[in-house]
Amino acid sequence: MGKAHKEQGPFDLKYFLTGALGGGICCAITHGALTPVDVVKTRIQLDPQTYNKGMVGGFKQIVAKEGAGALLTGFGPTAVGYFIQGWFKFGGVEFFKVKTAQFLGTRDAWNNRYSIYLASAAAAEFIADIFLCPLEATRIRLVSNPTYASGLITAFPKIIKDDGFVRGFYSGFGPILFKQIPYTMAKFAVQGATAEKIYGALGKTPEQMTSSQNFNISVASGVVAGVAAAIISHPADTLLSMINKSPTAGGSGSTTSRLLNLAREVGFKKLCLTGLGARCVMIGTLTAGQFGIFDLVLGALGAEKYHFVDPDEKH
């Protein structure tokens, strides 16, 4: 048997609120900073005939036609929406992960750690998406039609007036779940597995590393997790952009029938590949930044992130 591990915690209400705040901050900063990339990606998805020159070409086209300010279209709902989403996502993952691990005990938690990552991420993301969906619908409406409203505050009531609350804000709830839940499951599971492999290759545990070394491992594993998550969730991301472009996109039936119509119109290959390069760059960068900032915020507030430990590991 290995030597006893350093006691983690305490994992109390303060820890979970700290995790939620760290998640809100890291998601708001990264998504907000990448608004220009998201604008170009969304335009490529919605109008691939016009924006057919790739990521760099898309930037140039938008700036030439609409000015540099157009690259910040949707910044308000992006920053607000992803602060709220990050609060529930990162805070929720920590809550479900820790509570499940405490219930199972150290050994069973270690043996089932990937299942715990996946289940915790799915549960947290479902809750987060209830709050994110209206803001994501608003962002896409503004990006696809920059003249629709001047920003978040004016767009919100206009969407309710034009389309109603449910149709205007929750037409994309199905695809956002289809996109975000697999994305978040891959993001946290792959990041956890990759970080574990890096620590294993170094022959160290997180407790034996400095805060800067742990930060670097979080960022490096975040890049890998982001690219994997982007590829898995990209078809649903394309459908989400298309269905929020207009209330008539995909016909006038139910959301499911509209999504099926859009998928048939576009075709599987284009759903998987249109804008994928841009999204891999965006999500790889974004995810690395999120895990890095999350660790920094926790450290600044005096908390240490929970990690699974192998009870038989020798120090």
Side-chain angles (χ1 to χ4, degrees):
M1 294 288 289
K3 192 186 294 183
H5 283 263
K6 173 189 170 185
E7 187 71 25
Q8 297 187 72
F11 299 113
D12 50 13
L13 178 61
K14 180 183 176 183
Y15 174 79
F16 296 125
L17 288 175
T18 301
L21 178 61
I25 291 171
C26 75
C27 287
I29 290 174
T30 52
H31 279 277
L34 285 168
T35 296
V37 178
D38 209 21
V39 168
V40 178
K41 174 193 71 73
T42 303
R43 294 284 185 91
I44 292 171
Q45 288 174 316
L46 295 178
D47 190 2
Q49 286 76 31
T50 300
Y51 299 95
N52 58 4
K53 299 177 182 177
M55 194 72 188
V56 176
F59 271 101
K60 291 178 179 177
Q61 283 176 274
I62 292 171
V63 171
K65 185 177 178 182
E66 303 169 42
L71 293 172
L72 290 176
T73 304
F75 176 80
T78 297
V80 173
Y82 281 96
F83 178 87
I84 296 169
Q85 192 230 22
W87 175 281
F88 287 102
K89 176 161 70 175
F90 277 81
V93 166
E94 289 303 307
F95 177 81
F96 292 122
K97 181 175 69 176
V98 170
K99 291 298 182 182
T100 303
Q102 288 175 337
F103 175 77
L104 292 175
T106 302
R107 183 174 299 281
D108 284 343
W110 172 257
N111 291 337
N112 295 283
R113 60 196 182 282
Y114 299 123
S115 297
I116 295 171
Y117 274 127
L118 293 168
S120 299
E125 186 61 51
F126 181 84
I127 295 168
D129 287 345
I130 295 171
F131 297 93
L132 173 67
C133 197
L135 290 141
E136 182 70 354
T138 304
R139 179 193 71 79
I140 291 172
R141 186 70 65 92
L142 290 170
V143 171
S144 62
N145 182 9
T147 62
Y148 184 78
S150 59
L152 172 63
I153 294 174
T154 53
F156 236 71
K158 188 173 181 182
I159 291 172
I160 293 173
K161 181 182 177 182
D162 291 348
D163 306 320
F165 185 83
V166 175
R167 187 174 179 85
F169 291 133
Y170 284 95
S171 288
F173 189 59
I176 209 172
L177 291 177
F178 183 51
K179 164 195 165 185
Q180 288 292 134
I181 288 180
Y183 161 78
T184 300
M185 291 170 72
K187 172 176 169 175
F188 281 92
V190 173
Q191 192 270 340
T194 305
E196 182 184 308
K197 295 296 184 186
I198 295 173
Y199 284 116
L202 296 172
K204 301 278 189 178
T205 65
E207 295 100 333
Q208 296 169 326
M209 306 286 276
T210 66
S211 58
S212 62
Q213 289 172 328
N214 284 326
F215 171 82
N216 290 336
I217 291 172
S218 289
V219 170
S221 56
V223 172
V224 178
V227 172
I231 293 169
I232 288 169
S233 61
H234 190 67
D237 183 64
T238 302
L239 285 176
L240 178 65
S241 295
M242 293 174 70
I243 201 168
N244 279 313
K245 181 179 181 180
S246 156
T248 60
S252 57
S254 66
T255 299
T256 302
S257 67
R258 292 169 65 202
L259 289 171
L260 290 172
N261 290 339
L262 289 169
R264 280 193 292 265
E265 287 172 21
V266 176
F268 182 73
K269 184 176 179 180
K270 287 186 177 179
L271 274 180
C272 292
L273 299 178
T274 302
L276 179 60
R279 190 154 188 268
C280 283
V281 172
M282 174 186 168
I283 301 299
T285 305
L286 179 146
T287 305
Q290 283 178 1
F291 281 109
I293 294 169
F294 181 74
D295 281 10
L296 289 176
V297 173
L298 257 62
L301 295 177
E304 288 187 18
K305 186 167 67 176
Y306 173 86
H307 62 274
F308 295 102
V309 294
D310 181 352
D312 295 330
E313 184 182 69
K314 295 181 180 180
H315 293 277

